[in-house]
Amino acid sequence: MLIDGLQYCNWSEKIFREWRASNITAVHVTISYHEQFRETVSNFEKWNNWFEKFPDLIMPAYYAQDVENAKTLNKTAVIFGFQNPSPIEDDIGLVEILHRLGGRFMQLSYNNQSLLATGCYEANDPGITRMGKEVIKEMNRVGMVVDMSHSSERSTFEAMEISKRPIVISHANPSFWHPAKRNKSNEILLKLSETNGFLGFSLYPHHLNNGSNCKLEDFCTMIAKTADLMGVDHIGFGSDLCQDQPDSIVEWMRVGKWTKKIDYGEGSASNPGFPEMPNWFRDNRDWHNILQGLKKIGFNDEEVKKIKGENWLNFFKKSFTPISK
Amino acid sequence: MLIDGLQYCNWSEKIFREWRASNITAVHVTISYHEQFRETVSNFEKWNNWFEKFPDLIMPAYYAQDVENAKTLNKTAVIFGFQNPSPIEDDIGLVEILHRLGGRFMQLSYNNQSLLATGCYEANDPGITRMGKEVIKEMNRVGMVVDMSHSSERSTFEAMEISKRPIVISHANPSFWHPAKRNKSNEILLKLSETNGFLGFSLYPHHLNNGSNCKLEDFCTMIAKTADLMGVDHIGFGSDLCQDQPDSIVEWMRVGKWTKKIDYGEGSASNPGFPEMPNWFRDNRDWHNILQGLKKIGFNDEEVKKIKGENWLNFFKKSFTPISK
């Protein structure tokens, strides 16, 4: 079972067919970046339309069981998440509403300070806010996973301490391999593993050693080293794939609605667009290359099965249901 | 199993406890009158709060099975509906979103013309609109019931013709008994029965013969005559109970946001508030009086079981699930 823990593509029938051709069983899809609640609902409407139009290719997944059903039905299960807490605005009651609509992951902050936590581009990180503590408790209750992919160090540590359920870093790599602002320290990765959390390995070139020129073997060796650090049960993929997106979208991801200037994020004025993907992972057609790379580097079949999807499925099983009384 | 097909009370722990004391298994609750989408979501949030606070008394019902579970668990199942299409605004995609949140009934119009259909207080009834036809199709698809309680004659007929699934008049009485604007002609009731639709008998005094002074025997005799007309399988209760509501609420029901004047609806300048309930049905404490009245008038046990709840349950079974491909 192949599962990708994060994509933000320019969705189309073409991509849905590539999902099927790659035999990908589930994808955590970013449904909102900086959209507020009503805009997020419009995004759910758009997906409802696709589910109605392509019932043989895709289906929504609310619980782990739906992912298993998708496997049986030869469809790709779509699991929704938010890269920013914008969809809940300043209203904690929207956590349960959005969980009911299908939201299963929410980043407590994107690159900036949010109402809940600090992003990895802020100069100062005061940690999880008062509202942040309440929202983590509510996310734990209803079964929405805390995602700290874009958050900064202290906030991430505090989130792991406050949350009663395991959290994720759905799309990032270890900074021991490539010291990008978005990659994570060994201390965070160890604590993540100790708390039964989860790391999804990113394939976004700015998170890769040597960027677009990163070698497959280098990527797979990094996975092996991370497995040594965290254990092989807490890792999987979170490709951060932005297939078929125009460069205006990477600007939207970075700038959202918070500034009238251009913010280049991980890019630069001379390199403002989407970076080119490595030639061994152009897009959803190339998952087989990575799986072969893992075998070649020495992972056995059992381990590859875990990393490619079983670990995510197990994480979904314990994470998406409400805590019952 | 006792089921009420419509209430709009000033909900409180007291009322939830009275539901339990009356052994009422399910109530169709009006969650929005004239509220738009975002306001409706806030109403769902309020109910989520009550479900969290009173888990031993109430639970949400999404499907008929939940009503049966509520019976087993000794809780009251809450089924949500809208008395106006305001919650979908001008956006057909919100039908599926609101169904996912728990909306199971929607009136195509309240007393006025809506984007979909005509209300019973309009002078002219051009019938179901272009958008109305599309929304009926979408409600049929997702499993949201068309409710024509407050709609006018032609729109109601057309809704029964256009809808591929049975519709309801959740709270009204036959006009042969009391010729109020809100009560329904024999022609409508016959067509409703022929199309496997459903009538919920109202206990709102303006819909009763002799209003607040209506006699229990008179009410029950009317039910017997309606059973003769429609058959005993298509009828139940839709009390329209507005327990513990201040008079400002009946003004809200009538005036909403559509006028800056006062509209008295079924009341009058000299009698603008909620009418007094009949002494045999003060509120949720008095269901037993009606059940006794039905037996006294000659309904057998099997028939009383149907009218008090089995008919509604059967209607829920065929109405709330999406039409599968």
Side-chain angles (χ1 to χ4, degrees), chain B residues 158-308:
Chain B
E158 289 188 11
M160 289 191 279
E161 277 155 20
I162 294 164
S163 181
K164 302 264 189 248
R165 301 177 85 165
I167 77 157
V168 299
I169 291 166
S170 65
H171 56 302
N173 292 322
S175 41
F176 72 70
W177 183 56
H178 178 59
K181 234 189 233 308
R182 276 272 286 101
N183 285 341
K184 305 301 173 188
S185 70
N186 281 16
E187 291 70 28
I188 282 185
L189 298 180
L190 275 172
K191 172 111 184 160
L192 193 64
S193 165
E194 281 163 26
T195 53
N196 291 309
F198 203 99
L199 174 70
F201 294 110
S202 170
L203 287 143
Y204 190 61
H206 289 311
H207 308 156
L208 302 177
N209 188 31
N210 293 315
S212 305
N213 298 317
C214 179
K215 297 281 177 237
L216 175 58
E217 193 184 339
D218 191 9
F219 180 72
C220 293
T221 305
M222 174 276 290
I223 293 180
K225 284 186 185 157
T226 311
D228 288 343
L229 185 73
M230 295 181 64
V232 79
D233 295 330
H234 302 102
I235 55 177
F237 300 118
S239 71
D240 207 1
L241 180 66
C242 299
Q243 187 173 349
D244 296 347
Q245 293 284 27
D247 283 342
S248 58
I249 292 299
V250 76
E251 190 179 311
W252 155 250
M253 287 157 63
R254 293 163 178 166
V255 170
K257 306 173 184 177
W258 67 275
T259 174
K260 296 193 280 185
K261 291 188 311 188
I262 298 296
D263 180 78
Y264 293 108
E266 294 168 297
S268 60
S270 61
N271 185 20
F274 276 112
E276 203 185 339
M277 295 298 289
N279 59 9
W280 43 271
F281 189 75
R282 295 164 300 168
D283 54 40
N284 274 299
R285 291 167 297 173
D286 288 340
W287 285 101
H288 60 100
N289 288 334
I290 298 179
L291 303 182
Q292 280 163 4
L294 289 178
K295 284 183 194 173
K296 210 166 160 192
I297 213 75
F299 282 106
N300 64 34
D301 285 355
E302 190 54 39
E303 290 165 335
V304 173
K305 266 173 108 172
K306 285 183 175 191
I307 296 169
K308 76 187 265 213

Side-chain angles (χ1 to χ4, degrees), chain A residues 73-233:
Chain A
L73 297 165
N74 287 312
K75 300 182 188 185
T76 298
V78 176
I79 300 159
F80 295 111
F82 318 116
Q83 293 231 10
N84 213 346
S86 318
I88 69 162
E89 299 171 359
D90 57 357
D91 181 355
I92 195 169
L94 290 177
V95 172
E96 189 168 6
I97 296 289
L98 286 164
H99 182 269
R100 176 76 198 159
L101 290 178
R104 289 297 177 269
F105 294 91
M106 185 168 77
Q107 290 191 179
L108 297 194
S109 53
Y110 192 66
N111 295 339
N112 292 0
Q113 178 69 41
S114 77
L115 295 180
L116 313 178
T118 308
C120 62
Y121 277 76
E122 290 287 358
N124 303 300
D125 178 2
I128 302 296
T129 66
R130 296 179 77 206
M131 184 178 178
K133 288 172 191 165
E134 298 302 313
V135 168
I136 290 173
K137 209 196 292 178
E138 180 69 354
M139 291 172 76
N140 285 172
R141 186 180 74 84
V142 304
M144 189 184 285
V145 179
V146 172
D147 187 349
M148 297 304 275
S149 296
H150 281 256
S151 298
S152 57
E153 188 96 356
R154 179 177 167 188
S155 286
T156 304
F157 266 105
E158 288 187 13
M160 290 190 279
E161 277 155 17
I162 294 163
S163 181
K164 302 263 190 250
R165 301 177 86 165
I167 76 157
V168 300
I169 290 167
S170 64
H171 57 301
N173 292 321
S175 41
F176 72 70
W177 182 56
H178 177 59
K181 235 189 231 309
R182 275 273 284 100
N183 285 338
K184 304 301 173 188
S185 70
N186 281 16
E187 292 70 27
I188 282 185
L189 297 180
L190 275 171
K191 173 112 182 159
L192 193 64
S193 164
E194 280 163 26
T195 54
N196 292 309
F198 203 98
L199 174 69
F201 295 110
S202 169
L203 286 144
Y204 189 62
H206 289 311
H207 307 156
L208 301 177
N209 189 32
N210 293 316
S212 304
N213 298 316
C214 178
K215 299 279 177 238
L216 175 57
E217 193 184 337
D218 191 10
F219 180 73
C220 293
T221 306
M222 174 277 289
I223 293 181
K225 285 186 184 156
T226 312
D228 288 343
L229 185 75
M230 294 179 66
V232 78
D233 295 330

Side-chain angles (χ1 to χ4, degrees), chain A residues 42-60:
Chain A
S42 288
N43 295 346
F44 275 105
E45 292 179 53
K46 208 186 296 174
W47 273 98
N48 282 342
N49 236 297
W50 283 321
F51 292 130
E52 195 182 347
K53 210 165 162 190
F54 306 111
D56 300 330
L57 303 176
I58 54 172
M59 57 180 274

Side-chain angles (χ1 to χ4, degrees), chain A residues 37-38 41 89 91 94 97, chain B residues 8 30-48 50 80-82 84-89 94 98 101 252 256-258:
Chain A
F37 176 73
R38 183 62 183 83
V41 168
E89 299 171 359
D91 181 355
L94 290 177
I97 296 289
Chain B
Y8 187 60
T30 291
I31 190 164
S32 277
Y33 247 95
H34 307 285
E35 291 94 332
Q36 274 87 51
F37 176 73
R38 184 60 184 84
E39 296 165 318
T40 297
V41 168
S42 288
N43 295 347
F44 275 105
E45 291 179 53
K46 210 186 293 174
W47 274 98
N48 282 342
W50 282 321
F80 294 110
F82 318 116
N84 213 347
S86 318
I88 67 162
E89 300 172 0
L94 290 177
L98 286 163
L101 290 178
W252 155 250
K257 306 173 184 177
W258 67 275

